[in-house]
Amino acid sequence: MAKLILSLEGSVIREIPLNKERITIGRKAQNDIQIENLAVSGEHACIVTILNDSFLEDLGSTNGTIVNGNQIKKHILQNNDVIEIGKYKMKYVMEAGAAAAAPVAAEDFEKTMVMRSPSKPAAPKPAGAPAAPSAAPRPAAPPPMAAAAAPTPRPAAPAPASRPAEPQPLAALQLLTGPNAGKEIELTKNLTTLGKPGVQVAVITRRPQGYFITHVEGANFPVLNGKQLDNQARPLNDHDVIELAGVKMEFFVKR
């Protein structure tokens, strides 16, 4: 998980984990990160985090948002980027050990132990009894059922190997309007960025649960099946129609 290290004049104030898809920064109390400083706008900037990628967007602030000394409108954050808002600095840190620290399921090494009963000692022969003939002894009669020893347990049959999860079906977008109408865009990557920077940008993420669309940049939100999206990621279904940056496109699952 990524985090921000908030500091003022070199003194660390706190660490903020980026554990939400959208985190807002500003002077107003409703922001996720509230900075009470007159140089900070009421709703100054936001960070959208999808999978392992975080997008920083300036929300039309008065004094702007600076990353590594450069003023930005939209920026894909990289490890150790330094964000400046007013007199405050926020260092973006991607925790490299997060994946390694995740618990790994251990294999089950337990095996069934086969317990065998010890052989019964032969009963002593009475004194003076004739010795049994050495040639071809007759097989002993089977013991009565009531006294029969329990059958030796067989090793447990190995459990059938679990079937691998079926791969997620590939999806694509077909452009319905605009100069590229009819063109298909295959969604093979975990994250596909769509739209026009500075106007309207959204991302489609490919997750184990399916495909999701999330607004990233722009005052107007994308429209899905005639309804405007909000800040939350929305799942995409076969034949959904998306309107983004003046272009209509249809999401469909390839069979």
Side-chain angles (χ1 to χ4, degrees):
M1 181 188 297
K3 64 181 178 181
L4 296 175
I5 301 175
L6 177 64
S7 62
L8 176 63
E9 297 179 350
S11 298
V12 174
I13 299 173
R14 62 184 173 122
E15 294 186 1
I16 304 118
L18 299 180
N19 53 7
K20 292 172 60 179
E21 283 195 354
R22 190 173 193 270
I23 288 179
T24 58
I25 306 166
R27 193 177 69 253
K28 293 182 180 178
Q30 69 263 27
N31 289 284
D32 298 292
I33 303 174
Q34 183 186 13
I35 301 177
E36 295 183 1
N37 186 280
L38 293 177
V40 180
S41 297
E43 295 178 353
H44 196 105
C46 73
I47 295 176
V48 176
T49 300
I50 302 168
L51 299 178
N52 294 324
D53 296 302
S54 294
F55 301 82
L56 171 66
E57 180 188 359
D58 182 87
L59 299 177
S61 64
T62 302
N63 295 315
T65 301
I66 296 172
V67 178
N68 302 331
N70 299 313
Q71 188 162 342
I72 60 94
K73 289 295 182 183
K74 178 195 167 200
H75 177 77
I76 299 177
L77 290 168
Q78 305 294 323
N79 194 33
N80 294 324
D81 276 354
V82 176
I83 306 165
E84 294 181 54
I85 294 180
K87 295 182 179 181
Y88 290 79
K89 292 185 178 181
M90 287 175 280
K91 186 175 182 180
Y92 175 81
V93 178
M94 191 72 187
E95 295 180 334
V104 179
E107 294 182 14
D108 183 8
F109 291 107
E110 183 180 357
K111 295 182 180 179
T112 303
M113 297 181 65
V114 180
M115 304 298 294
R116 300 184 182 277
S117 301
S119 301
K120 292 184 179 180
K125 297 179 181 179
S134 57
R138 295 175 62 188
M145 293 299 293
T152 302
R154 294 182 181 180
S162 57
R163 295 177 60 185
E166 294 190 11
Q168 188 184 64
L170 183 66
L173 293 172
Q174 183 174 31
L175 303 182
L176 304 177
T177 62
N180 295 314
K183 182 181 177 181
E184 287 188 7
I185 303 171
E186 289 193 344
L187 302 174
T188 56
K189 298 179 180 179
N190 286 336
L191 187 146
T192 302
T193 304
L194 302 168
K196 295 179 181 178
V199 178
Q200 194 177 42
V201 177
V203 293
I204 293 179
T205 54
R206 188 183 186 191
R207 309 181 187 181
Q209 303 90 345
Y211 289 84
F212 290 76
I213 183 170
T214 307
H215 173 73
V216 173
E217 178 186 2
N220 296 320
F221 287 72
V223 174
L224 180 64
N225 299 328
K227 294 183 179 180
Q228 195 170 47
L229 298 177
D230 53 20
N231 291 324
Q232 302 302 316
R234 291 295 179 91
L236 289 171
N237 299 310
D238 201 14
H239 302 300
D240 277 352
V241 175
I242 303 164
E243 297 178 53
L244 176 67
V247 176
K248 282 188 178 182
M249 58 197 81
E250 180 183 358
F251 172 86
F252 67 95
V253 178
K254 290 198 163 186
R255 304 300 179 186

